[in-house]
Amino acid sequence: MKTTKENMTQNTQPYKGTRDFYPEDKRLQKWMFSKWREVCESFGYEEYDGPILEPLELYTSKTSEEVVNEQTYSFTDRGGRSVVMRPEMTPTVSRMVAARRQELGYPLRLYSIPNCFRYERTQRGRTREFWQLNADLFGIEGIEAEMEILLLTDRLMTVFGAKRNMYEIRLNSRKLLNSQIDKSDPSVEQQEVVRLVDKRDKMPEADFLSELKKLVSKPDQLLKFLDTKDISNIEDPAADGLKELLEMAKDNGMTNVVFMPSVARGFDYYTDIVFEVFDLDPENNRAMFGGGRYDGLVAEFGVEPVPTIGIAPGDVTLQNFLESWDLLPKLETETNLYVVLVGEVFEGAQKIVSKLRDEGVRVAVDMSGRKVGKQIETAVKKGIPYLLVIGEEELKSEQFKLKDLASGEEKEYSLERVVSTVLAE
RNA sequence: GUGGCUGUAGCUCAGUUGGUUAGAGCGCCAGUUUGUGGUACUGGAUGUCGUGGGUUCAACUCCCAUCAGCCACCCCA
């Protein structure tokens, strides 16, 4: 059978919206995830995981309608069940908490880094498979939970080298927003107004106003609220928590936490405090990720409610952020030593190599039989820092030529010195 | 789902008002007498010009469709 060029290109491309992770890409991902883990664990969050596949019902009435109806990868399994590949993690973790509602200790701190799938048109910052950190705090009703999540969010940015002038944490409250909507018109459908408010910055102001007038008979009260910059001007009991939270954030030196009445978030399950982390780079001015309180979700599984607040930063948006602020590190290969073989010494060299591995050196052996120059080129290409030459002479003398590939320096060492030199870095 | 832009070697691109053997740089491979790379020199491979159809004596260049990528909207990580 003839393989056509067309087939070749199709076969080597990853499926639309997914990414192949070659070693240099995977290194970056591992680096980001390890930072996420480091920060979460420093707050006492424990890692969990759940299945990629979930029954469709898990998402109906929990996630936003559009996400469930139009953006899921779904299929019917051989038993006739509707199955989806998880578009987000929150329903899964809520299900898990509900299942062991009584035996889990509260406050319960959980985090996970799941890959999620959404059938969407791809664009900057948006793929069809993505990873997101989900960190959730269960069992605390008070504003202290929000405060912890804000501190966590802040660290999740600064751990990557982000400065406070690079991003802003914008706070609002669904409860407050709904209360303000009620005041302007008690009969109005809150959810629709919330959605409209969420879109305000992205549409012409005139359109926003005319849309708003369709939904609210007396929009002036609401507009006044939306244009409020200083929360202390708002006299509404629903704003109390927010005021307290802003005060606490300020006391903790978080100068980039602000009140933003237009922040609403798309998911239906949020109940009170919501927030978004904004990239302040004018070239990439957008919400990177958000979070908020969703006190009702666990109770959807028929158990007593568990107050919950969580955040979910994504890998793609984070990477865009780090790129635009030049915060991506140069990551090197995990391998620290490349062994060049000269002559028929493969078997003899294995004993040396095993000793090196026993000492914790990560060694790759070139058994290609190519000339030394070619073997060195390969080591350089892979970015391996050290090179060890093993031939008949070395096996006899037990003295080895260790080459520092960056400087080009080469020295004769005993195996012991090889180990200590290579691991010194 | 809606709209805009783009699609020529692995990568970045050039390719004249359609004209007959499609180019450059980088990269890649090989060699410069066989145990040492990153410089230099020499040589080499690679593309049915995203795919399919149409117009034409002739298409990489024009038209249509399709796929893919990018960007914005929608939604959201």
Side-chain angles (χ1 to χ4, degrees):
Chain A
M1 241 231 199
K2 216 163 80 176
T3 312
T4 66
K5 175 74 182 177
E6 187 189 344
N7 280 333
M8 292 291 289
T9 35
Q10 283 183 350
N11 287 340
T12 56
Q13 269 178 348
Y15 168 73
K16 184 180 175 71
T18 66
R19 290 161 291 163
D20 290 329
F21 291 87
Y22 288 89
E24 64 267 29
D25 312 307
K26 193 66 186 176
R27 274 200 284 278
L28 187 62
Q29 191 194 51
K30 282 164 74 178
W31 174 77
M32 295 196 304
F33 289 5
S34 74
K35 294 286 183 191
W36 277 348
R37 290 198 165 92
E38 178 189 317
V39 171
C40 286
E41 288 169 10
S42 79
F43 278 74
Y45 285 66
E46 297 177 286
E47 188 164 9
Y48 70 96
D49 211 338
I52 291 182
L53 300 179
E54 289 278 12
L56 176 66
E57 306 84 74
L58 182 65
Y59 302 97
T60 49
S61 90
K62 296 187 188 68
T63 308
S64 83
E65 257 179 63
E66 177 162 352
V67 169
V68 178
N69 296 338
E70 290 160 37
Q71 302 187 347
T72 52
Y73 280 91
S74 55
F75 61 95
T76 305
D77 73 9
R78 292 172 193 277
R81 291 168 281 258
S82 294
V83 178
V84 307
M85 294 173 78
R86 61 184 173 206
E88 58 155 341
M89 198 60 166
T90 305
T92 297
V93 72
S94 299
R95 174 177 67 72
M96 289 169 65
V97 170
R100 302 199 178 174
R101 164 84 174 78
Q102 318 217 26
E103 51 196 285
L104 295 166
Y106 301 92
L108 174 65
R109 297 181 170 92
L110 295 177
Y111 84 90
S112 189
I113 307 178
N115 55 341
C116 300
F117 300 83
R118 288 184 200 164
Y119 189 84
E120 293 186 279
R121 195 91 165 242
T122 58
Q123 62 174 61
R124 179 174 167 81
R126 195 172 70 188
T127 53
R128 289 178 167 184
E129 180 190 21
F130 58 94
W131 278 257
Q132 60 175 193
L133 167 66
N134 279 250
D136 296 281
L137 174 54
F138 296 86
I140 303 294
E141 270 178 64
I143 207 79
E144 294 80 8
E146 271 82 352
M147 191 56 210
E148 174 166 304
I149 290 292
L150 281 190
L151 289 167
L152 182 69
T153 301
D154 191 54
R155 290 233 181 186
L156 285 170
M157 298 304 293
T158 56
V159 73
F160 291 103
K163 304 286 178 227
R164 295 232 168 81
N165 62 351
M166 297 177 183
Y167 65 100
E168 191 169 78
I169 301 174
R170 301 178 171 176
L171 289 178
N172 195 16
S173 159
R174 277 282 182 88
K175 208 176 264 177
L176 175 59
L177 190 53
N178 288 338
S179 157
Q180 292 291 321
I181 293 167
D182 265 348
K183 281 185 182 172
S184 68
D185 192 342
S187 64
V188 79
E189 193 66 46
Q190 288 181 343
Q191 201 64 250
E192 281 186 57
V193 183
V194 168
R195 293 228 174 91
L196 181 64
V197 167
D198 198 37
K199 289 190 286 196
R200 185 184 186 181
D201 291 343
K202 294 172 186 167
M203 58 199 296
E205 187 63 10
D207 291 359
F208 172 76
L209 291 174
S210 68
E211 288 291 316
L212 189 65
K213 274 171 194 158
K214 282 182 210 161
L215 294 172
V216 183
S217 54
K218 294 176 199 161
D220 292 353
Q221 160 100 28
L222 187 57
L223 279 171
K224 191 184 159 201
F225 167 70
L226 291 175
D227 292 331
T228 306
K229 296 211 170 73
D230 186 353
I231 193 166
S232 61
N233 295 333
I234 296 170
E235 285 172 29
D236 185 330
D240 290 351
L242 207 48
K243 284 177 182 170
E244 198 181 334
L245 187 58
L246 283 158
E247 200 57 42
M248 284 172 87
K250 200 167 285 176
D251 287 347
N252 277 275
M254 294 171 65
T255 48
N256 55 345
V257 176
V258 299
F259 168 58
M260 186 76 61
S262 59
V263 168
R265 308 292 301 153
F267 286 123
D268 297 343
Y269 47 65
Y270 289 118
T271 51
D272 192 354
I273 301 287
V274 287
F275 63 91
E276 284 180 343
V277 179
F278 249 79
D279 188 348
L280 293 179
D281 180 352
E283 298 292 304
N284 190 42
N285 210 316
R286 57 178 290 170
M288 287 186 287
F289 65 92
R293 184 172 276 281
Y294 53 102
D295 288 343
L297 209 42
V298 172
E300 296 250 339
F301 295 91
V303 300
E304 286 295 296
V306 177
T308 311
I309 177 162
I311 48 167
D315 65 327
V316 184
T317 38
L318 173 63
Q319 199 174 322
N320 287 155
F321 174 82
L322 297 176
E323 269 164 10
S324 75
W325 290 99
D326 200 24
L327 294 171
L328 286 177
K330 309 175 220 85
L331 298 171
E332 283 170 4
T333 175
E334 295 80 3
T335 311
N336 28 45
L337 184 64
Y338 198 73
V339 168
V340 166
L341 301 182
V342 183
E344 302 290 318
V345 294
F346 181 76
E347 280 187 63
Q350 284 311 313
K351 295 183 184 99
I352 308 295
V353 169
S354 287
K355 281 183 194 165
L356 289 167
R357 289 184 183 137
D358 287 344
E359 296 301 319
V361 180
R362 294 184 285 235
V363 190
V365 178
D366 192 321
M367 71 286 272
S368 67
R370 289 127 83 221
K371 46 184 8 177
V372 174
K374 292 297 163 195
Q375 297 189 47
I376 293 176
E377 280 177 23
T378 302
V380 170
K381 190 176 195 171
K382 291 176 186 295
I384 298 170
Y386 286 100
L387 184 108
L388 192 72
V389 180
I390 300 181
E392 299 289 352
E393 294 168 30
E394 286 79 7
L395 288 179
K396 269 179 211 152
S397 67
E398 299 197 337
Q399 292 292 305
F400 303 89
K401 286 173 187 157
L402 180 69
K403 185 163 193 159
D404 180 330
L405 284 172
S407 66
E409 239 175 85
E410 186 172 281
K411 283 181 183 162
E412 282 228 359
Y413 282 148
S414 65
L415 205 56
E416 223 174 28
R417 280 298 296 280
V418 169
V419 172
S420 61
T421 307
V422 170
L423 293 183
E425 297 238 320

